[in-house]
């Protein structure tokens, strides 16, 4: 087990500086354009693929970093560049992690390369869980997967919504109900291979922020996928369902949901994205406050401005520490006895919303225009308190974990 450290090692510093260079030279200059276009920034993803940032190798290297700091460090730098573009770059990774976590070695080897494509022909992937009537309440999911034993195929029907890269992805990972009696324990994940008939994009959403990231509905109409597309395989699924049915019958003790443990481990990554956006806005505000003069002196010369910056920086550093702690716990298999993963996402996302709003205030009228990046950063920051579980849901998870009570 790696000791918890707040200092990056030499190798990590090198990676961080390299990512920062890419974020500063390639992502940030393209941010305003792709925000206005509200389109997937394919040329930037391709640049990222050429230098090796958009690849499974890079993602896996950071993911398995024993200090736990690889992913948060990478997310912070890329999202410091721009949240919408960065999400277009890391969105595939979210789907890939779904396969890495639940797939067999064969599934990992077959599908993950197809999620990324290559530098000359980049592809993206989508993870589709949310539905119009199943957002925070995952257990009300309706998309159904039925096994056709004669053909060894699964048939998927339903509508997914809010899918990052939904409909434009080469590979979709779809969560569906296989046993409606078991609530969220009766769900399973499926690969939908490229060009599978029956899968189509529904409406593409026009959003408040992260507008360079594609978000859309995914409609599944009699989508047939081979049995080999069930993540983890049929035998494992049958065993899991049998255990869940047994527990449901005996009314036995509540077992920790494996999905919840996965969320605890993945939420710090979203916290790190929020830290990146918050830090970006803080840096713009600090620079502006140091150079903008009113009443014959820089505005930072007023405690009213300087104290805001002091609070902003304090909260950003506190958020990063919570994120790093939770990421270190996740990679080292530490139990999340206080829902530390949710804690880090809650605090970092709320910090990003607050800090980006303060940055607009410090820039005054300029902050409110698209001539400066902080209004975009503020629009982008609002997503962190919504996706991967809203702030209210994080509080619910933390409170339930602390109290052991079924708080509603
Ligand atoms: C840009 C974007 C990208 C996304 N990407 C993906 C993706 O790639 N894949 C995917 O599957 N999903 C994705 N999502 C979906 C996202 O995870 C959901 O939007 C989120 O989980 C909230 O669900 P909801 O929107 O249905 O809100 P609801 O669940 O309807 O919540 C509405 C409000 O009610 C509150 N609320 C609900 N229940 C409770 C409760 N018990 N106690 C207190 N308050 C409560 C919520 O906190 C929220 O404030 C994305 C969403 C967006 C906006």
């Amino acid at each position: 087990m790696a000791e918890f450290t707040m200092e990056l090692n030499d190798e990590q510093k090198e990676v961080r500086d390299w990512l920062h260079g890419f974020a500063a030279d390639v992502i940030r200059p393209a941010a305003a354009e792709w925000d206005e276009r509200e389109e997937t920034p394919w040329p930037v993803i391709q640049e990222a693929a050429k230098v090796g940032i958009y690849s499974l190798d890079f993602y896996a290297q950071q993911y398995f970093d024993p200090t736990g700091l690889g992913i948060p460090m990478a997310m912070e730098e890329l999202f410091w560049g721009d949240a919408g573009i960065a999400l277009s770059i890391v969105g595939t990774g979210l789907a890939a992690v779904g396969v890495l976590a639940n797939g067999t070695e064969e599934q990992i080897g077959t599908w993950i390369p197809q999620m990324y494509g290559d530098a000359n022909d980049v592809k993206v992937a989508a993870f589709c869980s949310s539905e119009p009537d199943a957002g925070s309440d995952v257990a009300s999911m309706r998309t159904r997967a039925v096994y056709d034993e004669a053909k060894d195929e699964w048939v998927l029907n339903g509508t997914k919504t809010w899918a990052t890269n939904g409909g434009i992805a080469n590979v979709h990972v779809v969560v569906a109900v296989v046993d409606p009696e078991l609530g969220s324990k009766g769900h399973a994940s499926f690969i939908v291979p490229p060009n599978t008939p029956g899968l189509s994009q529904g409406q593409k959403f026009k959003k408040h922020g992260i507008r360079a990231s594609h978000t859309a509905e995914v409609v599944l109409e009699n989508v047939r996928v081979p049995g080999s597309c069930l993540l983890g395989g049929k035998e494992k699924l049958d065993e899991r369902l049998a255990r869940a049915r047994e527990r449901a019958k005996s009314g036995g003790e509540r077992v920790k949901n494996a999905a919840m443990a996965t969320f605890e481990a993945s939420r710090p990554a979203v916290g790190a994205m929020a830290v990146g956006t918050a830090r970006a806005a803080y840096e713009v505000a600090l620079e502006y406050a140091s150079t903008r003069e009113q009443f014959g002196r820089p505005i930072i010369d007023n405690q009213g401005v300087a104290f805001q910056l002091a609070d902003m920086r304090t909260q950003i550093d506190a958020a990063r520490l919570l994120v790093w702690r939770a990421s270190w716990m996740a990679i080292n298999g530490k139990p999340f006895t206080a829902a530390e993963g949710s804690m880090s996402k809650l605090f970092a996302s709320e910090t990003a919303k607050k800090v980006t709003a303060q940055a607009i205030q410090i820039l005054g009228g300029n902050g409110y225009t698209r001539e400066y990046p902080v209004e975009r950063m503020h629009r982008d920051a609002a997503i962190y308190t919504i996706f991967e579980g809203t702030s209210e849901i994080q509080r619910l998870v933390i409170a339930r974990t602390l109290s052991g009570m079924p708080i509603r």
Side-chain angles (χ1 to χ4, degrees):
M1 186 183 75
E3 287 295 315
F4 178 62
T5 170
M6 291 186 289
E7 192 163 31
L8 299 178
N9 61 36
D10 288 346
E11 204 181 315
Q12 288 167 328
K13 281 184 191 152
E14 214 173 285
V15 175
R16 180 200 57 194
D17 294 347
W18 171 60
L19 288 171
H20 187 77
F22 186 81
D25 299 341
V26 182
I27 297 181
R28 185 70 71 86
E33 179 192 340
W34 293 99
D35 174 57
E36 289 298 335
R37 286 173 67 160
E38 298 194 43
E39 287 170 10
T40 300
W42 290 107
V44 186
I45 302 177
Q46 190 163 23
E47 279 304 301
K50 273 188 197 149
V51 299
I53 291 173
Y54 185 72
S55 72
L56 175 66
D57 278 358
F58 173 72
Y59 204 79
Q61 220 173 348
Q62 303 315 315
Y63 189 78
F64 293 112
D65 175 350
T67 69
L69 304 187
I71 287 286
M73 175 266 290
M75 294 294 173
E76 180 176 334
E77 291 313 321
L78 295 174
F79 282 73
W80 173 91
D82 177 64
I85 294 179
L87 190 61
S88 291
I89 293 173
V90 307
T92 296
L94 305 179
V97 166
V99 178
L100 277 177
N102 302 310
T104 60
E105 271 182 30
E106 200 184 336
Q107 288 169 330
I108 292 169
T110 306
W111 299 112
I112 294 189
Q114 297 194 48
M115 291 181 166
Y116 284 92
D118 59 58
N120 296 318
D121 184 19
V122 284
K123 305 285 187 204
V124 293
F127 179 75
C128 313
S129 172
S130 302
E131 296 182 2
D133 293 323
S136 303
D137 182 11
V138 181
S140 13
M141 186 178 289
R142 287 201 205 135
T143 295
R144 195 74 165 88
V146 176
Y147 188 52
D148 178 346
E149 200 161 359
K151 293 188 172 157
D152 184 26
E153 285 178 348
W154 287 89
V155 187
L156 274 60
N157 277 289
T159 300
K160 293 293 177 183
T161 193
W162 306 124
T164 301
N165 297 334
I168 61 167
N170 202 35
V171 177
H172 291 76
V173 177
V174 174
V175 186
V177 177
V178 288
D179 185 337
E181 305 290 311
L182 294 174
S184 60
K185 307 245 174 9
H187 297 172
S189 298
F190 298 85
I191 293 281
V192 180
N195 306 315
T196 301
L199 183 147
S200 60
Q201 183 184 303
Q203 77 161 303
K204 176 188 167 186
F205 295 103
K206 287 182 80 70
K207 304 194 300 295
H208 177 63
I210 53 163
R211 299 196 301 180
S213 169
H214 173 103
T215 317
E217 288 178 333
V218 172
V219 181
L220 302 140
E221 285 173 309
N222 290 323
V223 172
R224 286 187 163 266
V225 298
S228 59
C229 285
L230 165 66
L231 285 180
K234 183 92 172 39
E235 205 176 311
K236 219 167 135 194
L237 173 70
D238 287 342
E239 282 168 19
R240 180 163 64 79
L241 294 178
R243 278 198 306 273
R245 282 183 200 116
E246 222 19 72
R247 272 198 303 271
K249 234 193 291 170
S250 67
E253 97 206 75
R254 245 174 105 239
V255 237
K256 278 240 152 64
N257 189 339
M260 292 310 288
T262 310
F263 276 136
E264 282 305 312
S266 64
R267 282 178 176 153
V270 180
M273 299 173 188
V275 171
T277 300
R279 189 184 111 212
Y282 156 78
E283 286 175 8
V284 174
L286 178 65
E287 163 76 18
Y288 190 89
S290 309
T291 50
R292 167 74 175 166
E293 293 197 358
Q294 286 294 275
F295 303 99
R297 58 204 164 93
I299 58 169
I300 200 171
D301 235 357
N302 303 290
Q303 284 191 359
V305 174
F307 283 11
Q308 280 195 71
L309 286 158
D311 283 347
M312 289 158 78
R313 177 61 192 265
T314 303
Q315 285 167 23
I316 293 167
D317 280 18
R320 185 184 299 106
L321 286 177
L322 285 175
V323 165
W324 283 18
R325 176 181 72 166
S327 304
W328 170 78
M329 290 174 74
I331 196 76
N332 288 291
K334 294 262 177 203
F336 290 99
T337 51
E340 290 88 345
S342 297
M343 238 186 235
S344 72
K345 197 261 183 186
L346 170 65
F347 189 78
S349 60
E350 293 291 343
T351 293
K353 243 165 73 168
K354 206 163 16 171
V355 163
T356 52
Q358 284 174 303
I360 292 179
Q361 192 65 19
I362 290 172
L363 268 71
N366 280 331
Y368 199 63
T369 70
R370 296 200 180 176
E371 297 300 308
Y372 285 80
V374 290
E375 72 79 35
R376 184 182 68 247
M377 292 166 182
H378 185 50
R379 285 187 285 110
D380 292 343
I383 192 57
Y384 302 126
T385 62
I386 296 174
F387 68 10
E388 195 83 6
T390 63
S391 284
E392 292 73 26
I393 295 302
Q394 309 303 325
R395 291 188 179 99
L396 203 63
V397 171
I398 298 164
R400 281 178 181 167
T401 309
L402 297 179
S403 67
M405 301 286 287
I407 295 165
R408 314 170 355 114

